[in-house]
């Protein structure tokens, strides 16, 4: 069982080497940042951005009102939209309903591979947010025990790909398991009612189920991909200064979370309507925010393992689409220029 402390020693590693970032940032990064450096400030309009209980930094920024404060002088309205899962965030990004959205790395790669014009502009966490869950007395104690059983999972999200990786590693063919495509909260409800035998869960919903007696029978942090903050290419091209403000706020939130772990957990507890003890478990035991925020090699190495799974399952037609997506998904330029101190005091 691999547990991570919240922020044992935060170092805002915004100085990723130019050679590495040049290779890893997406093909449009240089042009985008040039616009941010030399273009006129955006005036008017709106920033449509998501918040999600699986993204604690988004909850801090929304709670503190930093974006509203910073963008007020530009006449920009901030619209917050809740994402129930990576799949929902991807749907909203593709539809243009939000400019910036939170997903797991696996979901970002899936979306980009299938033509969604998004870039990963910040890494907000390395969480252990997914695991396989069952109820006491189910007789399920290992992945092998899932043969002939039903498992709830939200297609297109990290718990779904966590399940696929676990099955593959255990030598269990997907045809031997019935996978029920249910949104995360519905998956928990289906497990509790006995409609399914197991559930590939997501925190903080999973932590709440665990407190109610559910058992996590398979865990592996290496099967969890990073938390990606993604933005549409149109937004990055047309409003690079606003995108920079968003990333600045995210890096301020990372530092704030280090200084205020209990308050971070309290914000999560309120938004997710869960017990504070559950929120503490999620934030302190199963969320690592002490990561390099610049999307790059660490994320590529994880996603290179996930990519072939997409092709095997038919979620992506070819490995070439995966390779092309990996070559264009990352844009580290905003993190490299991040200035958390530019974000004013909390409202």
């Amino acid at each position: 069982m691999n547990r991570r402390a919240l922020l044992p020693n935060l170092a805002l590693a915004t100085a990723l080497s130019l050679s590495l970032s040049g290779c890893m940032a997406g093909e449009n990064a240089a042009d985008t940042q040039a616009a941010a450096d030399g273009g006129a400030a955006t005036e008017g309009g709106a920033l449509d951005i998501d918040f999600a209980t699986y993204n604690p930094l988004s909850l801090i920024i929304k709670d503190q009102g930093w974006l509203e404060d910073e963008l007020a002088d530009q006449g920009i309205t901030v619209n917050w939209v809740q994402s129930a899962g990576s799949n929902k965030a991807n749907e909203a990004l593709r539809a243009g309903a939000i400019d910036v959205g939170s997903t797991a790395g696996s979901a970002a790669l899936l979306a980009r591979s299938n033509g969604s014009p998004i870039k990963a502009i910040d890494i907000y966490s390395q969480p252990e947010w997914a695991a396989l869950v069952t109820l006491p007395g189910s007789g399920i104690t290992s992945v092998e025990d899932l043969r002939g059983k039903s498992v709830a999972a939200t297609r297109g999200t990290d718990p779904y790909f966590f399940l696929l990786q676990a099955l593959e590693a255990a030598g269990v063919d997907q045809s031997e398991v019935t996978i029920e495509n249910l949104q995360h909260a519905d998956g928990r409800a289906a497990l509790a009612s006995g409609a399914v035998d197991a559930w590939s869960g997501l925190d903080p919903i999973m932590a709440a189920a665990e407190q109610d007696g559910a058992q996590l029978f398979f865990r592996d942090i290496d099967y969890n991909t990073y938390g990606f903050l993604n933005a549409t290419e149109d937004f990055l091209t047309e409003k690079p200064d606003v995108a920079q403000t968003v990333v600045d706020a995210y890096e301020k939130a990372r530092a704030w979370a280090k200084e205020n772990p209990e308050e971070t957990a309290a914000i999560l507890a309120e938004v997710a309507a869960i017990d504070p003890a559950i929120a503490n478990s999620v934030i302190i035991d199963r969320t690592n925010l002490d990561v390099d925020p610049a999307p790059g090699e660490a994320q590529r190495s994880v996603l290179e393992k996930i990519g072939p799974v997409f092709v095997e399952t038919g979620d992506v037609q070819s490995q070439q689409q995966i390779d092309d997506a990996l070559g264009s998904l990352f844009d580290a330029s905003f993190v490299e220029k991040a200035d958390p101190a530019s974000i004013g005091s909390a409202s």
Side-chain angles (χ1 to χ4, degrees):
M1 193 161 59
N2 194 345
R3 292 179 175 255
R4 303 291 182 96
L6 169 62
L7 288 165
N9 185 19
L10 177 68
L12 292 176
T14 58
L16 189 66
S17 70
L18 291 177
S19 60
L20 176 59
S21 63
C23 294
M24 300 310 301
E27 56 191 7
N28 297 333
D31 292 342
T32 298
Q33 196 57 52
D37 292 341
T42 301
E43 294 292 339
L47 165 64
D48 298 313
I49 184 170
D50 85 340
F51 69 101
T53 56
Y54 53 84
N55 177 358
L57 299 189
S58 72
L59 305 184
I60 292 169
I61 296 167
K62 182 175 185 292
D63 179 78
Q64 299 296 303
W66 291 331
L67 289 177
E68 289 82 352
D69 289 347
E70 292 301 314
L71 297 174
D73 289 344
Q74 294 172 242
I76 297 173
T77 300
V78 180
N79 298 323
W80 290 96
V81 178
Q82 184 166 11
S83 291
S86 293
N87 60 325
K88 296 301 183 183
N90 272 333
E91 289 172 9
L93 284 163
R94 187 152 196 160
I98 56 175
D99 304 306
V100 183
S102 319
T103 75
S106 58
L109 176 61
L110 177 64
R112 181 81 192 186
S113 297
N114 285 320
S116 183
I118 60 170
K119 295 279 190 179
I121 59 173
D122 190 281
I123 302 302
Y124 61 82
S125 71
Q126 182 191 25
E128 188 191 4
W129 54 18
L132 298 184
V133 189
T134 192
L135 296 179
S138 68
I140 298 173
T141 60
S142 68
V143 179
E144 289 83 354
D145 293 331
L146 292 178
R147 286 188 175 92
K149 305 293 186 180
S150 58
V151 185
T154 308
R155 193 176 181 89
T157 69
D158 237 27
Y160 173 71
F161 298 116
F162 182 97
L163 171 62
L164 297 186
Q165 292 177 89
L167 292 174
E168 182 178 31
V172 179
D173 193 272
Q174 291 179 50
S175 64
E176 299 179 89
V177 178
T178 300
I179 301 177
E180 299 289 352
N181 182 23
L182 297 172
Q183 199 63 43
H184 302 300
D186 296 330
R188 179 198 175 183
L191 177 66
S193 70
V196 295
D197 302 299
W199 167 50
S200 194
L202 179 73
D203 272 335
I205 302 170
M206 182 172 68
E210 189 179 17
Q211 188 183 58
D212 289 342
Q215 297 176 341
L216 277 54
F217 68 91
F218 181 78
R219 298 172 63 179
D220 191 327
I221 194 171
D222 291 335
Y223 289 175
N224 292 258
T225 59
Y226 289 78
F228 279 37
L229 186 70
N230 308 305
T232 64
E233 289 182 333
D234 283 349
F235 171 69
L236 297 178
T237 299
E238 297 167 8
K239 302 178 181 180
D241 58 319
V242 182
Q244 188 64 64
T245 298
V246 170
V247 173
D248 291 346
Y250 260 80
E251 292 316 301
K252 181 180 178 69
R254 194 185 306 274
W256 192 94
K258 175 191 175 182
E259 297 172 0
N260 304 279
E262 294 83 7
E263 289 87 344
T264 299
I267 293 171
L268 172 61
E270 181 178 359
V271 176
I274 57 177
D275 188 277
I278 298 172
N280 271 290
S281 176
V282 171
I283 295 297
I284 296 173
D285 296 334
R286 297 209 284 247
T287 302
N288 175 27
L289 301 178
D290 189 15
V291 295
D292 186 340
E297 188 58 42
Q299 290 72 45
R300 173 182 286 270
S301 65
V302 172
L303 295 181
E304 283 177 338
K305 300 173 185 176
I306 297 290
V309 177
F310 295 160
V311 179
E312 292 170 11
T313 59
D315 290 293
V316 178
Q317 290 186 345
S318 71
Q319 183 62 41
Q320 187 60 53
Q321 288 174 254
I322 299 291
D323 296 341
D324 291 345
L326 273 173
S328 59
L329 177 59
F330 305 133
D331 185 343
S333 62
F334 295 95
V335 166
E336 289 166 1
K337 298 181 76 70
D339 181 11
S342 69
I343 303 298
S345 301
S347 59

